Amino acid sequence: MNIKKIYPPAPKKKVRRAAIIKVARWPFVIAGLSCLLVDFLIGDFGWSLIAAVSLYIVWTVFISPAMVEVNPISQMIKVAALICLLLFVISRAVPWKGSTDVISIICSSVMGISFALLVSDYQRQKNNVFPMIVLCLVSLAFSIPLFMSREGAGRWFYGVSGIIGVAVFIASVIILGGSFFRELGKRFHTK
Amino acid sequence: MKKVIDDKFTEYEASLPEGEKESLEAFFQDFDNRCFLPKREKQKLKSDFEKVLLYYAKEGLSSEEAYARLSPSKLGGFYARPAVSWYALEDSAKIYPLSMKHGEMAVFRLSVYLKEAVVPELLQMALDFTVKRFPGFAVSLKKGFFWHYLDTEKIRFAAEEEKGIPCSPIRLSKSGSPAFRVLYFGNRISTEFFHVLTDGTGGMQFLKALTGEYLKLLGAKFRPEDGIPDIYELPSAEEYENAFSKVKDAKNAAGFVDKAAVQMSGKLSAVKPAGVFHFKMSAKQLKEVSKRYGGTVTNYMLALMFIASRAATDELNGELSIQVPVNMRKFYPSKTLRNFSLYCWVRKELKDIGELPALIEDIKEQLEKRASKESMNRMLAAAKALVSSVRYIPLFIKQPVAAAVYGFLGDKIFTNTLSNLGVVTFPPELAEYIESMDFVLGTASTNRAECTLVTTGDSVTFTITKNTKDPSFEEKMYELLTKDGIEVIAEGSGYYEY
């Protein structure tokens, strides 16, 4: 059987993500399980959780990133959320009262930067605001009880992140107008 | 490159007599009034017009004729209106984004081979004009809280020279990335679609419209008729409906799972596909041979595939199973351009694969039963029930579970696939420009081959997409076809050297 070639030659071999994932999968699983095993033996699960979250962050951000909707807003919020999760886990393992303060600072900054991105590149980013809206609402939901329950100057971290959350949310609704509600309809459809 | 085009166009503009300069200005004024894309996209679209005007000038076409062929009114209001529509995925399409992974995506390709080399500038322009007729394809895949969905994108979609491997995954991650691509290579125009957008029937409508518009820009004249979508017609709601919702639920849902089938031997290639092969034959000859054995073309090809699959496996026991997609439009007439197909499968014990006439008879009986309206309705009811049961589960939970289940089950219940798109017709004025067509299925995860058939005029193309470099299957198919007296022209990519 003689085949007449009618396709261009294959492009130069390059390192493919699928191959990296295939190779990296088992070291990651083994590393995670080893942490669990060591913690099981020493009877303390704190640091294995930190290791597991860290491994997950490396996996989901660098090795196997999302295949849909990778844009500056979504990526920044995803990374921020993962860092906040890691900080939270660290604060559980190592007694550290200031973790929620740092989390609120991170959230406030990310909300501000996302909003700046929306305004500076409105045409392209107007359909990518959903993660920012969610962050605003989550931030607000955590800020109010923390602001009420804490005392002293430190409580203002939460006050500020709550205010930024409300401000960004309202400003987004105004800027997006009808698109905002359309966006909600799309994102929460169950059809 | 852009600078060269700009310079050439400035030169061209300067060379025009005064009256024509005014016409050109009016032409681009008209364009400006119809295009409200972001600056960069608008510039790309404008540049497409400039390139074609330069091409026409080089070909010696008069300015009036060039303006008439390229009239910006052909853009309609598509590029003037903001993107507001969105589409929920139909029941059968929901699995594609859930099961895709890096390097593996359900992509299929439809190609048309012209008698002359493709003019890239004209193809790009044809795409700019055609896309407005298919707003459901001008979309980007997005993640909702419960399901993925398709969000309309207003950009200038690009027709690119083919450089990669056929049906390679489409990059969806970038903001506004389309879920299809248009490629050209030599005399071939190809469209590759992520299955989430459409099925073979819908994709073929797009390719026909694109080819028709391309040939029109080249100077072909034909009247819009049934065979080819009129790009100046408004898209209808029916074309983007979820046609599955029209089907009344069957009482007994059934049909997704079966026992694992025997797979052809051969190491799975790291890069998929390992190769693509087309067997081009005379439709008349193939039909005659099939008839001689008392079967249809599909029955006959399925029978040959069973024999060739047996020759390509080291297993001695077990069942071979070939998946056969079923176009639901034949049971429920619909104009939908979205997915409206399901599938059935034909199974055969390895030890029972014998003489062709008996095999064809058995396949015919199995297909009559399994591809019947009742069977499809039962499968559809199962699909609907499954979708409905996970409707309110957030996507971030559903996605890893679906990926794991799909990774475990995948396509293991099949050995191979045969998707027959049937006869594709073109108006006679266009048919004279067209040599043949082909249809390539993207790769499965464990099946070593996937096959398709498509016919246009007297040319039928049987395509094999391979996932392994073991040549046994395609060689046996070639041998069987030629043994039956069918003249086969074998073309393809060869095996990719990775």
Side-chain angles (χ1 to χ4, degrees):
Chain A
M1 181 176 72
N2 291 320
I3 308 281
K4 183 186 165 199
K5 287 201 179 171
I6 55 164
Y7 286 90
K12 218 174 148 192
K13 189 177 178 180
K14 55 182 178 186
V15 181
R16 288 165 303 107
R17 194 176 286 281
I20 297 172
I21 291 170
K22 204 175 166 186
V23 172
R25 182 179 294 142
W26 291 111
F28 268 74
V29 170
I30 291 166
L33 290 176
S34 307
C35 293
L36 265 178
L37 183 70
V38 172
D39 272 8
F40 177 73
L41 293 175
I42 61 172
D44 177 9
F45 282 88
W47 76 264
S48 69
L49 210 55
I50 297 172
V53 173
S54 307
L55 285 169
Y56 176 71
I57 292 175
V58 174
W59 182 263
T60 191
V61 175
F62 299 106
I63 296 176
S64 181
M67 293 175 73
V68 177
E69 281 205 271
V70 179
N71 55 68
I73 294 181
S74 73
Q75 283 315 284
M76 193 169 52
I77 290 173
K78 181 181 173 181
V79 171
L82 289 169
I83 290 171
C84 292
L85 175 68
L86 184 61
L87 286 174
F88 178 74
V89 172
I90 291 172
S91 72
R92 296 298 101 185
V94 185
W96 173 34
K97 282 187 177 172
S99 67
T100 47
D101 300 352
V102 180
I103 290 173
S104 75
I105 293 169
I106 292 174
C107 290
S108 306
S109 320
V110 169
M111 281 186 289
I113 298 169
S114 310
F115 186 69
L117 267 172
L118 168 68
V119 177
S120 61
D121 188 11
Y122 177 74
Q123 281 300 332
R124 208 180 314 173
Q125 302 302 339
K126 66 179 179 185
N127 292 331
N128 300 332
V129 293
F130 179 64
M132 186 180 78
I133 302 295
V134 172
L135 179 65
C136 291
L137 296 175
V138 170
S139 179
L140 198 60
F142 281 97
S143 297
I144 295 172
L146 282 167
F147 180 76
M148 308 284 264
S149 62
R150 294 282 169 96
E151 283 175 3
R155 71 201 293 238
W156 284 103
F157 284 123
Y158 313 113
V160 170
S161 69
I163 289 165
I164 292 178
V166 173
V168 168
F169 182 80
I170 293 173
S172 304
V173 174
I174 293 168
I175 290 174
L176 292 166
S179 307
F180 176 82
F181 297 101
R182 249 196 318 272
E183 191 67 13
L184 288 187
K186 291 183 226 176
R187 298 284 178 174
F188 288 98
H189 85 87
T190 55
K191 283 191 264 180
Chain B
M1 182 64 185
K2 193 185 166 298
K3 175 91 173 64
V4 176
I5 299 291
D6 284 351
D7 289 348
K8 278 189 181 168
F9 195 74
T10 316
E11 244 174 66
Y12 162 76
E13 225 175 340
S15 71
L16 290 174
E18 212 44 52
E20 283 193 26
K21 267 185 195 161
E22 278 168 26
S23 307
L24 185 68
E25 209 173 293
F27 177 85
F28 279 111
Q29 184 60 52
D30 191 11
F31 166 79
D32 282 339
N33 293 339
R34 292 169 192 281
C35 182
F36 294 98
L37 293 179
K39 203 176 161 193
R40 207 162 34 171
E41 295 296 318
K42 186 175 178 176
Q43 192 47 51
K44 284 186 204 164
L45 196 57
K46 192 174 179 187
S47 176
D48 294 340
F49 278 95
E50 292 174 355
K51 284 180 197 166
V52 179
L53 283 171
L54 284 174
Y55 170 81
Y56 282 155
K58 202 178 88 190
E59 292 297 303
L61 200 74
S62 71
S63 305
E64 290 97 53
E65 179 62 20
Y67 297 153
R69 284 191 200 175
L70 283 181
S71 170
S73 66
K74 287 178 155 191
L75 296 172
F78 181 78
Y79 300 98
R81 295 189 285 259
V84 288
S85 316
W86 65 280
Y87 307 88
L89 301 185
E90 57 278 0
D91 298 331
S92 71
K94 284 187 162 68
I95 186 67
Y96 297 119
L98 290 175
S99 62
M100 69 181 176
K101 51 188 179 186
H102 290 283
E104 212 172 289
M105 190 186 257
V107 175
F108 67 93
R109 161 198 280 239
L110 297 163
S111 304
V112 61
Y113 293 72
L114 304 177
K115 289 185 178 155
E116 280 176 25
V118 174
V119 181
E121 299 90 328
L122 296 188
L123 181 63
Q124 177 59 60
M125 201 72 250
L127 177 59
D128 294 338
F129 288 150
T130 306
V131 84
K132 68 169 188 294
R133 178 65 182 82
F134 298 87
F137 293 2
V139 291
S140 181
L141 185 68
K142 294 274 175 76
K143 264 184 193 172
F145 190 73
F146 298 106
W147 293 112
H148 289 92
Y149 66 94
L150 299 167
D151 208 6
T152 309
E153 285 295 336
K154 293 293 178 87
I155 52 169
R156 172 262 197 187
F157 295 88
E160 293 163 328
E161 188 181 2
E162 188 174 345
K163 286 178 183 151
I165 295 174
C167 293
S168 37
I170 295 172
R171 196 177 162 208
L172 300 168
S173 56
K174 236 178 100 189
S175 206
S177 312
F180 75 97
R181 55 167 90 97
V182 172
L183 303 164
Y184 62 88
F185 185 75
N187 64 337
R188 179 175 63 226
I189 298 174
S190 304
T191 46
E192 293 187 344
F193 299 93
F194 181 24
H195 226 316
V196 79
L197 280 191
T198 183
D199 56 13
T201 309
M204 186 54 80
Q205 290 298 95
F206 180 83
L207 178 62
K208 282 169 82 173
L210 178 69
T211 309
E213 189 52 32
Y214 169 80
L215 293 172
K216 237 186 217 177
L217 290 171
L218 205 60
K221 287 193 167 48
F222 66 95
R223 278 169 300 143
E225 54 183 83
D226 276 341
I228 199 152
D230 180 2
I231 66 161
Y232 305 106
E233 233 175 42
L234 288 175
S236 70
E238 206 191 339
E239 288 173 352
Y240 295 98
E241 69 181 359
N242 176 1
F244 289 109
S245 62
K246 291 206 306 196
V247 182
K248 218 174 145 193
D249 284 351
K251 278 178 189 147
N252 306 314
F256 273 127
V257 275
D258 206 333
K259 60 184 175 188
V262 168
Q263 297 299 323
M264 286 187 254
S265 305
K267 191 181 172 235
L268 282 169
S269 164
V271 171
K272 293 177 181 176
V276 174
F277 303 93
H278 305 293
F279 291 171
K280 293 192 172 170
M281 302 167 271
S282 152
K284 201 176 149 212
Q285 226 176 25
L286 184 64
K287 211 170 166 185
E288 273 170 13
V289 172
S290 310
K291 217 170 167 185
R292 202 167 71 210
Y293 285 109
T296 61
V297 168
T298 306
N299 300 156
Y300 172 69
M301 292 306 289
L302 278 169
L304 296 192
M305 284 169 65
F306 271 113
I307 296 171
S309 301
R310 191 185 61 173
T313 181
D314 293 332
E315 300 288 336
L316 299 172
N317 294 302
E319 278 184 337
L320 291 174
S321 166
I322 302 180
Q323 181 189 23
V324 183
V326 178
N327 188 350
M328 294 295 283
R329 293 167 185 86
K330 71 177 181 187
F331 302 126
Y332 301 97
S334 167
K335 284 184 182 170
T336 190
L337 294 170
R338 299 172 65 194
N339 284 287
F340 194 34
S341 29
L342 288 172
Y343 58 85
C344 67
W345 56 92
V346 188
R347 293 182 84 95
K348 197 79 193 155
E349 283 279 348
L350 275 169
K351 58 180 167 44
D352 295 339
I353 296 170
E355 292 302 307
L356 211 45
L359 197 50
I360 289 178
E361 198 51 45
D362 182 38
I363 289 167
K364 207 195 293 182
E365 276 171 28
Q366 285 197 51
L367 273 183
E368 262 168 34
K369 203 173 121 197
R370 292 170 188 250
S372 66
K373 190 175 177 181
E374 292 69 33
S375 298
M376 290 300 107
N377 282 356
R378 280 200 295 273
M379 180 181 268
L380 180 59
K384 278 184 172 178
L386 183 65
V387 166
S388 180
S389 64
V390 296
R391 176 158 294 165
Y392 296 106
I393 298 175
L395 193 57
F396 65 86
I397 297 173
K398 217 152 32 190
Q399 180 137 24
V401 174
V405 172
Y406 189 80
F408 183 69
L409 296 173
D411 50 9
K412 290 189 184 87
I413 66 166
F414 310 119
T415 310
N416 204 329
T417 297
L418 177 65
S419 181
N420 186 355
L421 261 191
V423 182
V424 180
T425 53
F426 284 94
E429 298 89 338
L430 292 192
E432 64 186 65
Y433 289 86
I434 291 162
E435 204 177 79
S436 61
M437 299 193 84
D438 69 44
F439 170 28
V440 182
L441 277 184
T443 50
S445 36
T446 45
N447 295 171
R448 266 58 171 185
E450 291 191 293
C451 305
T452 64
L453 266 176
V454 63
T455 308
T456 187
D458 186 42
S459 166
V460 55
T461 308
F462 175 69
T463 300
I464 305 167
T465 312
K466 285 299 298 291
N467 268 347
T468 171
K469 287 184 187 173
D470 176 355
S472 315
F473 177 74
E474 51 274 27
E475 283 180 356
K476 189 71 184 175
M477 281 303 291
Y478 184 84
E479 182 197 314
L480 292 167
L481 287 163
T482 47
K483 208 168 111 188
D484 273 337
I486 299 169
E487 286 167 43
V488 181
I489 299 169
E491 294 178 342
S493 64
Y495 299 101
Y496 289 113
E497 292 302 322
Y498 283 114

